[in-house]
């Protein structure tokens, strides 16, 4: 093997080692900050119940974190009855009757969510609202697939020939479309910070 080729290989090996070192160092630095503060920040990644999640909101006065799955599940119509009311949606039914069984329900914190003007819903698992998606960066919104939000678009379904709901497209952009279309579901949950820190072995 000639000298130049050998030098190139050694340099590449050193560069790869440096990347691994930097990655591990940053991981430890992030872990240390969480231990010192005892909390999480928006954008932090979390693994819980064998699913990867991203922190989309922190409720520091209550020591809670709101997580959104990094994976999109179950392409599904929002409604088969021209309704853009989340409380009557196929999405809610799927999350509360199917997806929730994949989680440790005893650790979930009940959420009361204002999903559309004066409408509220209590749930242990749901999808994101428009207000939760808007502050996130495109990188945090985007996950390669289109997914529903809880928030209806424009008039109520009773006043429209076609009911519309906001969704996030595969590139992280917000839009709206008819409830009889088929998009994915990106679950949202809330956990207590102390519980999460313990489960993450921090």
């Amino acid at each position: 093997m000639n000298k130049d080729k050998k030098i190139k290989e050694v340099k590449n090996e050193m560069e790869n080692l440096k990347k691994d070192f930097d990655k591990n160092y940053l991981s430890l630095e992030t872990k240390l900050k969480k231990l010192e503060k005892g909390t999480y920040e928006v954008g932090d990644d979390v693994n819980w119940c064998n699913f990867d999640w991203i922190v989309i909101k922190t409720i520091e006065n209550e020591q809670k974190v709101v997580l959104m799955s990094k994976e999109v599940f179950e392409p599904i119509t929002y409604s088969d009855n021209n309704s853009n009311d989340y409380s009557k949606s196929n999405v809610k039914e799927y999350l509360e009757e199917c997806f929730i069984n994949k989680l440790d329900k005893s650790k979930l914190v009940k959420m009361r969510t204002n999903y559309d003007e004066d409408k509220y819903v209590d749930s242990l698992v749901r999808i994101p609202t428009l207000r939760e998606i808007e502050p996130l960066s495109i990188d945090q919104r985007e996950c390669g697939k289109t997914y529903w939000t809880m928030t209806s678009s424009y008039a109520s379904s009773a006043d429209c020939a076609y009911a519309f709901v906001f969704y996030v497209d595969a590139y992280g952009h917000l839009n709206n479309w008819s409830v009889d279309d088929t998009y994915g579901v990106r679950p949202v949950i809330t956990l207590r910070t102390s519980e999460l820190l313990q489960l993450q072995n921090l």
Side-chain angles (χ1 to χ4, degrees), residues 133-187:
I133 292 294
E134 285 178 322
L136 301 179
S137 69
I138 290 293
D139 287 344
Q140 292 165 343
R141 297 179 188 181
E142 178 272 322
C143 56
K145 295 181 181 178
T146 301
Y147 55 95
W148 294 111
T149 77
M150 299 176 79
T151 309
S152 66
S153 174
Y154 307 118
S156 68
S157 52
D159 301 325
C160 300
Y162 298 99
F164 282 68
V165 170
F166 282 100
Y167 68 87
V168 183
D169 70 21
Y171 305 101
H173 303 292
L174 279 160
N175 211 325
N176 61 82
W177 198 245
S178 173
V179 295
D180 61 359
D181 211 336
T182 301
Y183 297 139
V185 177
R186 199 169 177 186

Side-chain angles (χ1 to χ4, degrees), residues 48-49 95-110 124-125 189-191:
W48 187 74
C49 281
L95 288 172
E96 296 183 358
E97 294 186 11
C98 299
F99 182 79
I100 197 169
N101 296 317
K102 301 176 182 180
L103 307 176
D104 183 350
K105 289 184 273 190
S106 68
K107 300 295 191 298
L108 296 173
V109 177
K110 183 174 284 189
L124 293 175
V125 59
I189 60 172
T190 294
L191 297 175

Side-chain angles (χ1 to χ4, degrees), residues 51-91:
F51 294 116
D52 290 324
W53 308 80
I54 182 172
V55 176
I56 61 169
K57 184 179 180 182
T58 60
I59 311 171
E60 293 191 9
N61 60 322
E62 298 180 23
Q63 288 293 293
K64 298 174 185 175
V65 287
V66 182
L67 308 176
M68 181 168 66
S69 170
K70 298 187 81 171
E71 184 178 349
V72 175
F73 298 88
E74 196 68 22
I76 193 172
T77 58
Y78 194 89
S79 170
D80 298 320
N81 301 303
N82 196 42
S83 171
N84 54 13
D85 187 335
Y86 177 77
S87 68
K88 302 173 184 177
S89 70
N90 295 335
V91 177

